[in-house]
Short mmCIF file of all heavy atoms in Angstrom, two decimals:
data_model
loop_
_atom_site.label_atom_id
_atom_site.label_comp_id
_atom_site.label_asym_id
_atom_site.label_seq_id
_atom_site.Cartn_x
_atom_site.Cartn_y
_atom_site.Cartn_z
N ASN Q 1257 194.13 220.74 59.60
CA ASN Q 1257 192.67 220.81 59.56
C ASN Q 1257 192.12 220.07 58.35
O ASN Q 1257 191.09 219.37 58.44
CB ASN Q 1257 192.21 222.27 59.53
CG ASN Q 1257 192.49 222.97 60.85
OD1 ASN Q 1257 192.57 222.34 61.91
ND2 ASN Q 1257 192.62 224.30 60.80
N SER Q 1258 192.80 220.22 57.21
CA SER Q 1258 192.32 219.52 56.02
C SER Q 1258 192.47 218.01 56.19
O SER Q 1258 191.59 217.24 55.76
CB SER Q 1258 193.11 220.00 54.80
OG SER Q 1258 194.48 219.70 54.94
N GLN Q 1259 193.57 217.58 56.82
CA GLN Q 1259 193.73 216.14 57.08
C GLN Q 1259 192.64 215.63 58.03
O GLN Q 1259 192.10 214.53 57.84
CB GLN Q 1259 195.11 215.87 57.67
CG GLN Q 1259 196.25 215.94 56.66
CD GLN Q 1259 197.57 215.56 57.28
OE1 GLN Q 1259 197.72 215.60 58.49
NE2 GLN Q 1259 198.54 215.22 56.44
N ARG Q 1260 192.33 216.43 59.05
CA ARG Q 1260 191.28 216.02 59.99
C ARG Q 1260 189.93 215.92 59.29
O ARG Q 1260 189.17 214.98 59.51
CB ARG Q 1260 191.22 217.01 61.15
CG ARG Q 1260 190.30 216.55 62.28
CD ARG Q 1260 190.21 217.59 63.39
NE ARG Q 1260 191.51 217.88 63.95
CZ ARG Q 1260 192.18 219.02 63.77
NH1 ARG Q 1260 191.64 219.99 63.01
NH2 ARG Q 1260 193.35 219.21 64.31
N ASN Q 1261 189.62 216.90 58.43
CA ASN Q 1261 188.35 216.86 57.70
C ASN Q 1261 188.30 215.69 56.73
O ASN Q 1261 187.25 215.03 56.59
CB ASN Q 1261 188.17 218.17 56.93
CG ASN Q 1261 187.99 219.37 57.85
OD1 ASN Q 1261 187.51 219.21 58.98
ND2 ASN Q 1261 188.39 220.54 57.38
N ARG Q 1262 189.42 215.39 56.09
CA ARG Q 1262 189.46 214.26 55.17
C ARG Q 1262 189.27 212.94 55.92
O ARG Q 1262 188.58 212.02 55.44
CB ARG Q 1262 190.79 214.26 54.41
CG ARG Q 1262 190.81 213.28 53.23
CD ARG Q 1262 192.13 213.33 52.48
NE ARG Q 1262 192.39 214.64 51.93
CZ ARG Q 1262 193.33 215.47 52.39
NH1 ARG Q 1262 194.08 215.11 53.42
NH2 ARG Q 1262 193.50 216.65 51.85
N LEU Q 1263 189.87 212.84 57.11
CA LEU Q 1263 189.71 211.63 57.91
C LEU Q 1263 188.25 211.46 58.36
O LEU Q 1263 187.71 210.34 58.33
CB LEU Q 1263 190.64 211.69 59.11
CG LEU Q 1263 190.64 210.46 60.03
CD1 LEU Q 1263 191.07 209.21 59.26
CD2 LEU Q 1263 191.55 210.69 61.23
N GLN Q 1264 187.62 212.56 58.76
CA GLN Q 1264 186.23 212.49 59.15
C GLN Q 1264 185.34 212.08 57.97
O GLN Q 1264 184.40 211.27 58.13
CB GLN Q 1264 185.77 213.84 59.71
CG GLN Q 1264 186.40 214.19 61.07
CD GLN Q 1264 185.96 215.55 61.55
OE1 GLN Q 1264 185.25 216.27 60.85
NE2 GLN Q 1264 186.38 215.92 62.77
N GLN Q 1265 185.63 212.63 56.80
CA GLN Q 1265 184.85 212.25 55.63
C GLN Q 1265 185.02 210.77 55.29
O GLN Q 1265 184.06 210.08 54.93
CB GLN Q 1265 185.26 213.12 54.44
CG GLN Q 1265 184.86 214.59 54.57
CD GLN Q 1265 185.36 215.43 53.42
OE1 GLN Q 1265 186.04 214.91 52.52
NE2 GLN Q 1265 185.03 216.72 53.42
N ASN Q 1266 186.25 210.29 55.42
CA ASN Q 1266 186.48 208.87 55.16
C ASN Q 1266 185.75 207.99 56.17
O ASN Q 1266 185.20 206.93 55.83
CB ASN Q 1266 187.98 208.57 55.20
CG ASN Q 1266 188.72 209.21 54.04
OD1 ASN Q 1266 188.14 209.49 52.99
ND2 ASN Q 1266 190.01 209.46 54.22
N ASN Q 1267 185.75 208.43 57.44
CA ASN Q 1267 185.03 207.66 58.47
C ASN Q 1267 183.53 207.63 58.19
O ASN Q 1267 182.88 206.58 58.34
CB ASN Q 1267 185.30 208.24 59.85
CG ASN Q 1267 186.75 208.04 60.28
OD1 ASN Q 1267 187.41 207.09 59.82
ND2 ASN Q 1267 187.24 208.89 61.17
N HIS Q 1268 182.98 208.79 57.79
CA HIS Q 1268 181.55 208.84 57.46
C HIS Q 1268 181.24 207.94 56.27
O HIS Q 1268 180.21 207.23 56.26
CB HIS Q 1268 181.13 210.28 57.17
CG HIS Q 1268 181.06 211.14 58.39
ND1 HIS Q 1268 180.34 210.79 59.52
CD2 HIS Q 1268 181.62 212.35 58.66
CE1 HIS Q 1268 180.46 211.73 60.45
NE2 HIS Q 1268 181.23 212.69 59.94
N ALA Q 1269 182.12 207.96 55.29
CA ALA Q 1269 181.89 207.12 54.11
C ALA Q 1269 181.96 205.64 54.47
O ALA Q 1269 181.13 204.82 54.02
CB ALA Q 1269 182.91 207.46 53.03
N LEU Q 1270 182.94 205.30 55.31
CA LEU Q 1270 183.06 203.90 55.73
C LEU Q 1270 181.85 203.48 56.55
O LEU Q 1270 181.32 202.37 56.39
CB LEU Q 1270 184.36 203.72 56.53
CG LEU Q 1270 184.65 202.31 57.05
CD1 LEU Q 1270 184.79 201.33 55.88
CD2 LEU Q 1270 185.91 202.31 57.90
N PHE Q 1271 181.39 204.34 57.47
CA PHE Q 1271 180.22 204.02 58.29
C PHE Q 1271 178.99 203.84 57.40
O PHE Q 1271 178.17 202.94 57.62
CB PHE Q 1271 179.99 205.14 59.31
CG PHE Q 1271 178.77 204.95 60.13
CD1 PHE Q 1271 178.76 204.05 61.20
CD2 PHE Q 1271 177.59 205.66 59.85
CE1 PHE Q 1271 177.61 203.87 61.95
CE2 PHE Q 1271 176.46 205.48 60.60
CZ PHE Q 1271 176.46 204.59 61.66
N SER Q 1272 178.85 204.68 56.38
CA SER Q 1272 177.69 204.57 55.48
C SER Q 1272 177.72 203.25 54.71
O SER Q 1272 176.69 202.57 54.56
CB SER Q 1272 177.67 205.75 54.50
OG SER Q 1272 177.59 206.98 55.21
N ARG Q 1273 178.91 202.88 54.25
CA ARG Q 1273 179.02 201.63 53.50
C ARG Q 1273 178.72 200.43 54.40
O ARG Q 1273 178.03 199.48 53.99
CB ARG Q 1273 180.42 201.50 52.91
CG ARG Q 1273 180.71 202.51 51.80
CD ARG Q 1273 182.14 202.43 51.33
NE ARG Q 1273 182.40 203.43 50.30
CZ ARG Q 1273 183.60 203.63 49.77
NH1 ARG Q 1273 184.63 202.89 50.18
NH2 ARG Q 1273 183.76 204.55 48.84
N VAL Q 1274 179.24 200.45 55.64
CA VAL Q 1274 178.97 199.34 56.57
C VAL Q 1274 177.49 199.26 56.90
O VAL Q 1274 176.89 198.18 56.97
CB VAL Q 1274 179.81 199.50 57.83
CG1 VAL Q 1274 179.40 198.48 58.90
CG2 VAL Q 1274 181.29 199.34 57.50
N PHE Q 1275 176.87 200.45 57.08
CA PHE Q 1275 175.44 200.48 57.41
C PHE Q 1275 174.62 199.92 56.25
O PHE Q 1275 173.70 199.11 56.46
CB PHE Q 1275 175.02 201.90 57.73
CG PHE Q 1275 173.57 202.05 58.05
CD1 PHE Q 1275 173.07 201.64 59.30
CD2 PHE Q 1275 172.69 202.58 57.12
CE1 PHE Q 1275 171.72 201.76 59.58
CE2 PHE Q 1275 171.34 202.69 57.41
CZ PHE Q 1275 170.86 202.30 58.65
N VAL Q 1276 174.94 200.33 55.04
CA VAL Q 1276 174.19 199.83 53.88
C VAL Q 1276 174.42 198.33 53.72
O VAL Q 1276 173.47 197.57 53.42
CB VAL Q 1276 174.62 200.60 52.61
CG1 VAL Q 1276 174.02 199.94 51.36
CG2 VAL Q 1276 174.20 202.04 52.71
N PHE Q 1277 175.65 197.87 53.92
CA PHE Q 1277 175.95 196.45 53.80
C PHE Q 1277 175.17 195.64 54.83
O PHE Q 1277 174.62 194.57 54.53
CB PHE Q 1277 177.46 196.23 53.96
CG PHE Q 1277 177.87 194.80 53.80
CD1 PHE Q 1277 177.92 194.20 52.55
CD2 PHE Q 1277 178.19 194.04 54.92
CE1 PHE Q 1277 178.30 192.87 52.41
CE2 PHE Q 1277 178.57 192.72 54.78
CZ PHE Q 1277 178.63 192.12 53.52
N ASN Q 1278 175.10 196.14 56.07
CA ASN Q 1278 174.33 195.45 57.11
C ASN Q 1278 172.85 195.41 56.77
O ASN Q 1278 172.16 194.40 57.02
CB ASN Q 1278 174.54 196.14 58.46
CG ASN Q 1278 175.94 195.91 59.01
OD1 ASN Q 1278 176.56 194.88 58.71
ND2 ASN Q 1278 176.42 196.82 59.83
N CYS Q 1279 172.35 196.51 56.23
CA CYS Q 1279 170.93 196.51 55.84
C CYS Q 1279 170.65 195.48 54.75
O CYS Q 1279 169.63 194.78 54.77
CB CYS Q 1279 170.53 197.92 55.35
SG CYS Q 1279 170.51 199.16 56.68
N ILE Q 1280 171.56 195.39 53.80
CA ILE Q 1280 171.39 194.40 52.72
C ILE Q 1280 171.43 192.98 53.28
O ILE Q 1280 170.62 192.11 52.90
CB ILE Q 1280 172.46 194.61 51.64
CG1 ILE Q 1280 172.25 195.95 50.93
CG2 ILE Q 1280 172.44 193.48 50.63
CD1 ILE Q 1280 173.34 196.31 49.96
N ILE Q 1281 172.36 192.71 54.19
CA ILE Q 1281 172.47 191.37 54.78
C ILE Q 1281 171.22 191.04 55.57
O ILE Q 1281 170.68 189.92 55.50
CB ILE Q 1281 173.73 191.28 55.67
CG1 ILE Q 1281 175.00 191.41 54.81
CG2 ILE Q 1281 173.76 189.98 56.46
CD1 ILE Q 1281 175.18 190.30 53.80
N ASN Q 1282 170.71 191.99 56.37
CA ASN Q 1282 169.50 191.75 57.17
C ASN Q 1282 168.30 191.51 56.26
O ASN Q 1282 167.46 190.63 56.54
CB ASN Q 1282 169.23 192.94 58.09
CG ASN Q 1282 170.29 193.07 59.17
OD1 ASN Q 1282 170.89 192.05 59.58
ND2 ASN Q 1282 170.52 194.28 59.66
N GLU Q 1283 168.19 192.26 55.19
CA GLU Q 1283 167.07 192.08 54.27
C GLU Q 1283 167.16 190.70 53.59
O GLU Q 1283 166.14 190.01 53.40
CB GLU Q 1283 167.10 193.19 53.21
CG GLU Q 1283 165.94 193.13 52.24
CD GLU Q 1283 164.62 193.43 52.92
OE1 GLU Q 1283 164.62 194.06 54.01
OE2 GLU Q 1283 163.58 193.04 52.35
#
């Protein structure tokens, strides 16, 4: 369960970074 939660947190962090990077590129 802890591994699953850590993987989900990493995915959320990666998605946030990609989203912010895309916003910066579009701007």
Side-chain angles (χ1 to χ4, degrees):
N1257 291 335
S1258 62
Q1259 285 184 340
R1260 188 183 301 109
N1261 293 333
R1262 192 179 299 109
L1263 182 61
Q1264 291 178 356
Q1265 291 176 359
N1266 292 336
N1267 292 334
H1268 287 307
L1270 180 62
F1271 176 78
S1272 300
R1273 291 175 182 176
V1274 172
F1275 179 76
V1276 171
F1277 182 75
N1278 289 331
C1279 291
I1280 294 174
I1281 294 297
N1282 293 331
E1283 182 67 21

